[in-house]
Structure formats: C-alpha cells, structure tokens
Amino acid sequence: MVNFTCSHSKRWLPYSAGLYIFALLSAFSCAAASAQSNAPSPSFFPDGDVGSTAPLSRTNPPATILPSPTQPTATLPAKPLATPPSALPLPAPITNAPALSSALVDQESQNLHAAFQQEVSHAPPPPPELQALWISLARQQLESSQYRPGNSQVVVLVDRNPKVQRLSLVVINLNDQTWRIIGSTRVSTGKKGRKDYYITPVGVFTNTANRLGYRALGTKNEHGIMGNGTHGMRVWDFGWQQGTKGWLANHEQGPMRLEMHATDPYILEKRLGHTASAGCIRIPALLNVFLDRHGLLDADYEQKSHTDKRFLALLRKDRTPSPLSGVAVIVIDTSNTVKTSPFTHTHHF
C-alpha cells in the first residue's frame, strides 16, 4: 500500500500500488496521437501540458459583448466528431440516483454555492448577459450530443474563447428545466501557434467508468514544472477526441487525449485565464480539490467503486459526494459574440 498526501486538502489518501503504477503509465497526457502511421511521432507531455511562460498583462480592455440573436450560435461541429479506431465509443451514461425534488435541488445548489465561495473563490459572479449566453450555448451542445442527464445534476461548463477562458459549475434542475450557475473561476484551454498544441474541442465529454482517471505524481519536467499539479491532484480523463491542430493554418483535425487537471501552483496557475495548454483543460488546484471532494464528476465512479476496487482506490477517502453529482463537462466557444474580455484586473475569478 502506497500512501500520499494531497497538499491542498492536507489529508492522507490511500492509493494502491497497482493504481500508482497505472498512473505512471497514464501520465502521457494532453498530447496528440499521430493520425497516420507514417507521420512523425507527436510530442508527449508526461507531466502535463506546458504552455508559454511569457509575461501576461495585468489589465484587460473593457467588455464588449455584441448583440446576439434570440438563439445565440456557436462554432458547432456539423456532425459528431469521429474518434480513433482504438478509442471506446462514447456511451450515454445512466445514473440511477433517485429523483430529487425541486426543493432539494435548490437546497443543495445553495449548499454547493456557499461551499464554492468558501473553498474555491469569493469573486463576484460573471455578468448576467454572459451567464445567459453560456447557458444558451451549453444547452445547444447538450441537445446535439449523445448524453442525456438522467437526473438533476451539476455539469462543468468551459468557455474556450481566448478572451474569456472561464469555467462555471452549473446545476441542471430537471424538475423545471432551469440551469443555474453556482460558481465560476479562471481556466486555460488549448493554445494556437505552437507545434503539437491542439485547440480544446467543443462538445459534451463524460467521465464514465469506461476509463479510469488517475492522480498527479507531482513530478517536474525538464523545465522544473509540475504540469499536472502537486502530488495527489485529480486528473479526469475524457478519452480520445478530435481536436483542431492549433499550429496549422488549414484547421486540420486529429486525435488528441482530452483531460482536465490542475497545473503548477507556483509558475503556471497564476496564468490561468489565458490559453496555454496543449489541448487539455487546466484548472486551479482549489477547484480540483473541490470537484474531487464533492464528487461532482464522479457519479459513475461511485457506482463502479462498489464492484471495482480500482475506482474505490482512486476516490478520496474523505469525500462527501453531492446528491447533484454528475459526469459531464460541456465546452463551448463564445468567440462569435464576445470579442474582448468581459473581465478586468479587479474582476478576477
């Protein structure tokens, strides 16, 4: 039995030696797979994807949100994206959690909102018009996907717009079909212009028991950077997806491994809010612990943990799963509407 501690939760977590070895093998993340057998081998990032270390501006221009039609549009794929032959097909996860009344959904939403404010960020909410646009585009993505929530739940919503780069936790209440944002913070998605760096794809991606995620080893790469964050941070693996090759002008697509994880807390976390990754979704360490502790993406893992010890070993021993736990991350793009940053240096979240 190998024990390690999560530096942010300051608790010891059990971790089986077998799963530790699996983490070593799985650490080849956030990199492109070669689309052709005769193509050059792609670059891999064993310790997470690492972007530019160029200094960032401390201020942003005022918000300019252009008028949008009644049904805002986003850059949506014309048809479901194909996956490599080696990838498992995307199922529609079925969660057997009991139906929650609107009163219980509202109460748990308030509880999660208060916990988010205390554990992740006290920052003010995003502008109302931006929240409405996010929800509208996320609904479109969900309707065009294979995934259908079986019960009221939290989904993770990510806006990959380079001028926005924000993640929100959204409660979908199936009783009245309302969507409510309960917390938001900065993230980093795929960066253009760097070899083997993919643009994070839009769509709905699910954390199903078909894939076993892992935890960061906390090792540093040759640049001294912990790409997946400190020892014990969760890495959510959404499998092989089709992504746009950000270094090519012709928008060619190819297979990439999509993951969501923390990043180096001393060097890269302060740069969140700007595109930087090789295609993955980088999140703050505090949000990583929050999602992990409340099991907000682990509904399927919780069920699987009853019959598979690998999943039980991965989940936190001190977790308190929310009754609104889900499995889905929805990536949208507001670039067609939001042309300059809606946030200033005084509005960090």
Side-chain angles (χ1 to χ4, degrees):
M1 179 69 69
V2 179
N3 290 327
F4 66 86
T5 184
C6 167
S7 63
H8 294 277
S9 64
K10 301 187 183 302
R11 296 179 184 270
W12 287 91
L13 305 176
Y15 202 58
S16 69
L19 188 56
Y20 183 85
I21 295 173
F22 175 82
L24 285 170
L25 298 176
S26 301
F28 293 91
S29 61
C30 286
S34 178
Q36 300 179 357
S37 59
N38 61 349
S41 298
S43 299
F44 287 90
F45 301 86
D47 298 293
D49 49 3
V50 179
S52 169
T53 56
L56 303 175
S57 170
R58 302 175 68 90
T59 61
N60 292 312
T64 301
I65 299 181
L66 301 182
S68 59
T70 303
Q71 295 293 331
T73 58
T75 305
L76 300 176
K79 57 183 179 181
L81 298 175
T83 54
S86 59
L88 292 171
L90 174 66
I94 299 175
T95 53
N96 298 318
L100 299 176
S101 67
S102 285
L104 290 177
V105 172
D106 290 343
Q107 182 59 55
E108 180 63 12
S109 298
Q110 293 175 18
N111 294 342
L112 287 174
H113 172 71
F116 186 93
Q117 292 282 310
Q118 180 178 0
E119 300 172 29
V120 182
S121 174
H122 292 281
E129 63 272 23
L130 184 58
Q131 292 191 47
L133 180 59
W134 281 345
I135 290 174
S136 177
L137 294 178
R139 284 179 180 269
Q140 292 181 30
Q141 288 290 352
L142 189 60
E143 290 169 1
S144 64
S145 75
Q146 302 175 39
Y147 179 67
R148 294 293 179 269
N151 52 278
S152 298
Q153 63 187 258
V154 170
V155 297
V156 174
L157 190 160
V158 176
D159 187 353
R160 74 175 188 181
N161 180 352
K163 300 295 185 181
V164 179
Q165 291 289 288
R166 291 302 191 274
L167 176 152
S168 293
L169 301 183
V170 183
V171 173
I172 301 178
N173 188 338
L174 294 186
N175 296 289
D176 55 14
Q177 299 300 316
T178 57
W179 292 42
R180 175 188 175 187
I181 293 177
I182 59 172
S184 188
T185 190
R186 298 175 294 163
V187 295
S188 287
T189 62
K191 181 180 180 65
K192 288 183 179 179
R194 188 168 178 178
K195 186 66 164 58
D196 293 326
Y197 273 43
Y198 282 62
I199 306 304
T200 306
V202 296
V204 179
F205 309 100
T206 52
N207 184 45
T208 76
N210 285 334
R211 295 175 303 276
L212 179 62
Y214 58 100
R215 292 186 180 274
L217 300 176
T219 54
K220 296 180 179 181
N221 63 14
E222 65 273 21
H223 303 295
I225 292 175
M226 294 179 285
N228 284 336
T230 56
H231 197 196
M233 292 287 101
R234 275 289 293 275
V235 179
W236 289 272
D237 182 2
F238 301 103
W240 290 101
Q241 306 295 337
Q242 290 289 316
T244 300
K245 298 178 179 181
W247 68 97
L248 297 180
N250 63 358
H251 305 294
E252 178 183 330
Q253 291 201 340
M256 55 161 284
R257 194 75 176 190
L258 179 62
E259 295 181 340
M260 184 171 73
H261 55 75
T263 191
D264 191 292
Y266 309 109
I267 301 174
L268 297 181
E269 181 161 325
K270 61 186 176 183
R271 301 173 183 273
L272 293 176
H274 302 262
T275 57
S277 80
C280 287
I281 302 167
R282 297 181 185 175
I283 62 176
L286 291 177
L287 177 63
N288 188 294
V289 174
F290 183 81
L291 294 172
D292 193 17
R293 178 180 292 131
H294 297 281
L296 295 181
L297 286 173
D298 291 332
D300 277 21
Y301 275 33
E302 282 292 342
Q303 293 185 35
K304 189 69 173 179
S305 69
H306 297 302
T307 58
D308 192 326
K309 293 182 179 179
R310 298 176 304 159
F311 290 84
L312 182 62
L314 177 64
L315 296 173
R316 291 175 67 104
K317 186 175 181 180
D318 65 340
R319 68 192 182 280
T320 54
S322 168
L324 292 177
S325 295
V327 297
V329 171
I330 305 177
V331 181
I332 61 170
D333 190 343
T334 61
S335 296
N336 289 343
T337 302
V338 182
K339 301 298 184 181
T340 59
S341 175
F343 315 107
T344 68
H345 67 285
T346 60
H347 196 145
H348 281 196
F349 62 86

